Every structure is written in C-alpha cells, then in structure tokens.
Amino acid sequence: MLLFQSRFHEGLKNGTITLTFRLWNTPRVRPGSRYRCHPIGVLEVDAVERIAIGTISQEDARRSGFSSRVELFDYLSGLSKTQVTPDSEVYRVRLHYGGDGDRVPLALETNLSPEEVAAIAGRLGKMDATSATGPWTRQSLSLIESNPRVAASKLAKILGRETAPFKADVVKLKKLGLTQSFEVGYEVSPRGRAFLELEKANTATQ
C-alpha cells in the first residue's frame, strides 16, 4: 500500500501528481508493481531512484503536489526525525494512477447490528486477554481518536510502549475495520466510531 494525505488524492487521480518523495531507509515499492492507495484505488510505480534532496527541481516539486521546492522541503523536514539538508537522500518515486478497480472502501459497514457489536467486542476481548502487556484495544482506539494523524512513535510514547509492537497492534485493529492508516498516523474509521458509540450506549443501558 502507498499512503497519501487526502489533499493529494485528486492530483493523483487526474494525473497532475506523478511523483512522490519518501524518507525511506530502503525502497518499499518496485517499478512495474501496483499498490493500493486508500481510498482512491491503485497506483502503478514506474521508477524508483535514490537522490539528494538538493537535486529536486521546481518542476519535480510541482509534480509531487507542492507549489515550490521550499514547500516540499518544509514538508519533508516535518516528517524527518533528523535535520534535513540538501545532501540528505530520499527516494524519488515516479508513478501514475491505475484506476479504481482495486478501490478500498473508506469504511466498512457502519450500521452495526447488536450481534456485530458483540462479535467485535469479543475479538477485542480476546486480543486483550492474550496480550503480554495487558488490555490495550480500547485504550489504543481512544488514544487514536483523540490524536488523529499523530506519528505512531509519539502515540507509543504516550502509552509507554515501543513503537514497533504498538504499530503491530494497530494493524490488528485495522484488520477489523476499526482504524485507518495515513502517511503519518492513524484515525478511527467510521466503522470504529460506530462501534465505540454503540458499545458505550449498550454499557450505559445495562
């Protein structure tokens, strides 16, 4: 999967955005491969190369959805954990929109029945019961709901956890349709919000 902020989606679909620059340690995509881009469909990667940030041109910046090199550099600096300089290296990915045939719905069904709410609660209960760190599912959902699109490392720090195990747990929530991943951080999905609201309402009436 390739993640993009929603402000880039229209440009990706209409072809005005054909580049992206990524602060990866190693390439995570391959030329000729297709990747889901939630929720607009699929993107096809045409080329991948490692370059110095200083070699990025004004045209490159515009083709990646930014108005100028300065805006792009500021964006990359905000994502980086270290100081970004013209000599810093990024991956330059050339791509194009591959259609919506593999579209991923923005949210699964949100009109949850009492049985579905109970089933999700049961799955979360099992995750909590088998976790070496103790109950974590609702705590994580609440944290993500209160801190949308905040880096996983920052969320993990709030919980006093290591980043990698925290991210692995959020993937479990995503598989249930309760969260959505973004280029930076997560959000509770509409399905997740519906579940939390219904579970809270059920608890209040018991």
Side-chain angles (χ1 to χ4, degrees):
M1 178 178 288
L2 268 172
L3 301 176
F4 284 86
Q5 294 179 358
S6 59
R7 60 180 172 135
F8 299 114
H9 289 172
E10 186 57 35
L12 289 164
K13 291 180 67 175
N14 65 29
T16 56
I17 295 179
T18 57
L19 289 177
T20 185
F21 296 91
R22 302 290 169 135
L23 293 163
W24 295 331
N25 293 324
T26 58
R28 300 181 187 177
V29 295
R30 295 182 300 175
S33 297
R34 290 163 56 88
Y35 298 88
R36 288 185 297 165
C37 179
H38 182 82
I40 64 173
V42 295
L43 299 172
E44 297 186 16
V45 173
D46 301 310
V48 182
E49 59 181 325
R50 192 163 177 80
I51 64 169
I53 288 180
T55 65
I56 297 174
S57 68
Q58 285 286 104
E59 180 61 20
D60 286 341
R62 285 192 289 270
R63 289 173 61 197
S64 62
F66 296 89
S67 61
S68 66
R69 295 171 74 240
V70 172
E71 184 184 6
L72 173 58
F73 294 171
D74 287 345
Y75 174 78
L76 292 173
S77 296
L79 295 179
S80 178
K81 296 179 180 179
T82 59
Q83 181 67 34
V84 171
T85 70
D87 293 328
S88 300
E89 293 190 333
V90 294
Y91 280 96
R92 180 182 188 268
V93 180
R94 184 162 55 86
L95 44 75
H96 66 273
Y97 183 58
D100 63 0
D102 297 327
R103 181 186 294 274
V104 179
L106 182 60
L108 299 174
E109 179 61 53
T110 58
N111 187 23
L112 300 175
S113 68
E115 293 76 17
E116 288 173 313
V117 173
I120 294 172
R123 293 286 298 277
L124 297 181
K126 289 181 180 179
M127 291 180 187
D128 286 337
T130 58
S131 172
T133 59
W136 62 270
T137 57
R138 274 99 174 155
Q139 183 185 43
S140 297
L141 285 169
S142 177
L143 181 64
I144 292 169
E145 187 173 35
S146 302
N147 299 271
R149 305 202 187 199
V150 171
S153 58
K154 294 182 179 179
L155 296 179
K157 186 175 182 179
I158 292 173
L159 296 176
R161 300 188 60 189
E162 295 295 325
T163 301
F166 172 76
K167 292 175 70 174
D169 279 344
V170 176
V171 169
K172 298 174 185 176
L173 299 175
K174 182 179 178 181
K175 288 181 178 178
L176 291 178
L178 303 179
T179 63
Q180 299 171 167
S181 299
F182 294 87
E183 189 170 357
V184 176
Y186 317 96
E187 285 186 4
V188 173
S189 70
R191 178 182 176 86
R193 289 196 296 271
F195 165 74
L196 291 174
E197 290 171 3
L198 289 169
E199 185 179 53
K200 183 178 180 180
N202 291 342
T203 301
T205 58
Q206 291 176 358

